[in-house]
């Protein structure tokens, strides 16, 4: 039997798809709960979150990370199904990135050049690189376990997608604590932290999601 025929047969096996969707959904829900509790039980939300969230920078930071988390989670729902088209989901991921690029451009335009370095480095760059991956651990473990129920065409890519979703979920949770609100900071340190989780997910996927 050809590989393409085998993939088609697996993709047509509807009973195996539904448990995969439920498993991914449960993994995301459980991962969010664990990571949220971890954040609340350790660093907690920023003291002024009630008023800060009314500002454009904080609202954008939280909204952008939530959008990236939602779109990357949708990708994970698809990536575990052999033969499924991922074109629409991959194009959709450009939206939060374009929004972030636009926000960075606006920040550079309205801010004096002398402040760019301070806004870029912020106050907690190192902690951001550390704690976002920590918060991503629970969602990543859950999504890896869920994807083992499926049969992804590319285990490495599937693991990377799980890492992107987990890192984005963690970033969205961390954003409620982070005192660094500049899009320059988010585009640098948030994205680097998420990229670390993507690389970890790809590494794990290559070894755990083979079939």
């Amino acid at each position: 039997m050809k590989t393409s025929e085998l993939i088609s047969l697996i993709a047509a096996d509807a009973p195996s798809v539904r448990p995969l969707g439920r498993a991914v959904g449960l993994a995301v829900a459980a991962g969010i709960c664990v990571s949220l509790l971890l954040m609340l039980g350790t660093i907690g939300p920023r003291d002024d979150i009630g008023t800060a969230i009314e500002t454009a920078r904080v609202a954008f930071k939280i909204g952008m990370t939530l959008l990236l988390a939602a779109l990357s989670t949708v990708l994970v729902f698809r990536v575990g199904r052999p033969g499924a088209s991922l074109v629409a989901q991959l194009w959709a991921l450009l939206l939060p990135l374009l929004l972030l690029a636009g926000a960075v451009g606006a920040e550079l335009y309205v801010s004096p050049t002398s402040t760019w370095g301070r806004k870029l480095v912020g106050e907690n760059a190192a902690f951001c690189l550390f704690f976002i991956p920590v918060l991503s651990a629970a969602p990543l473990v859950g999504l890896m376990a869920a994807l083992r129920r499926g049969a992804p065409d590319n285990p490495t890519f599937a693991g990377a997608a799980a890492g992107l979703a987990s890192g984005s979920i963690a970033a969205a949770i961390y954003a409620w604590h982070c005192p660094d609100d500049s899009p320059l900071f988010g585009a640098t340190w948030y994205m680097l932290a998420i990229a670390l989780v993507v690389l970890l997910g790809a590494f794990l996927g290559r070894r755990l999601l083979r079939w």
Side-chain angles (χ1 to χ4, degrees), residues 63-146:
M64 187 275 296
T65 51
L66 286 173
L67 177 60
L68 182 59
L71 293 175
S72 54
T73 298
V74 172
L75 176 63
V76 177
F77 271 98
R78 298 281 294 172
V79 78
R81 302 177 181 183
S85 175
L86 305 175
V87 175
Q89 286 73 32
L90 291 174
W91 277 107
L93 288 175
L94 290 178
L95 176 58
L97 299 181
L98 290 173
L99 291 174
L100 182 58
V104 168
E107 181 85 338
L108 293 176
Y109 180 77
V110 301
S111 302
T113 308
S114 59
T115 67
W116 289 1
R118 177 172 54 81
K119 290 177 180 292
L120 175 66
V121 176
E123 300 176 6
N124 296 279
F127 187 71
C128 175
L129 285 177
F130 164 74
F131 207 67
I132 287 179
V134 169
L135 290 176
S136 73
L140 184 59
V141 169
L143 287 175
M144 284 295 175

Side-chain angles (χ1 to χ4, degrees), residues 14-198:
S16 67
V17 171
R18 287 192 293 270
L20 173 62
R22 287 197 295 269
V24 170
L26 288 173
V28 170
I32 289 173
C33 290
V34 172
S35 297
L36 183 59
L37 288 173
L38 177 60
M39 188 275 283
L40 293 174
T42 54
I43 56 177
R46 56 192 286 177
D47 294 335
D48 64 342
I49 189 61
T51 55
I53 199 172
E54 298 176 359
T55 64
R57 285 182 175 85
V58 175
F60 175 80
K61 175 176 64 175
I62 294 175
M64 187 275 296
T65 51
L66 286 173
L67 177 60
L68 182 59
L71 293 175
S72 54
T73 298
V74 172
L75 176 63
V76 177
F77 271 98
R78 298 281 294 172
V79 78
R81 302 177 181 183
S85 175
L86 305 175
V87 175
Q89 286 73 32
L90 291 174
W91 277 107
L93 288 175
L94 290 178
L95 176 58
L97 299 181
L98 290 173
L99 291 174
L100 182 58
V104 168
E107 181 85 338
L108 293 176
Y109 180 77
V110 301
S111 302
T113 308
S114 59
T115 67
W116 289 1
R118 177 172 54 81
K119 290 177 180 292
L120 175 66
V121 176
E123 300 176 6
N124 296 279
F127 187 71
C128 175
L129 285 177
F130 164 74
F131 207 67
I132 287 179
V134 169
L135 290 176
S136 73
L140 184 59
V141 169
L143 287 175
M144 284 295 175
L147 285 173
R148 286 177 64 86
R149 290 174 171 263
D153 295 325
N154 187 328
T156 302
F157 179 78
L164 178 60
S166 302
S168 301
I169 289 169
I173 293 173
Y174 177 72
W176 293 84
H177 164 83
C178 181
D180 297 300
D181 301 328
S182 172
L184 285 169
F185 185 92
T188 304
W189 306 107
Y190 277 49
M191 293 301 108
L192 279 175
I194 293 172
L196 291 175
V197 185
V198 170

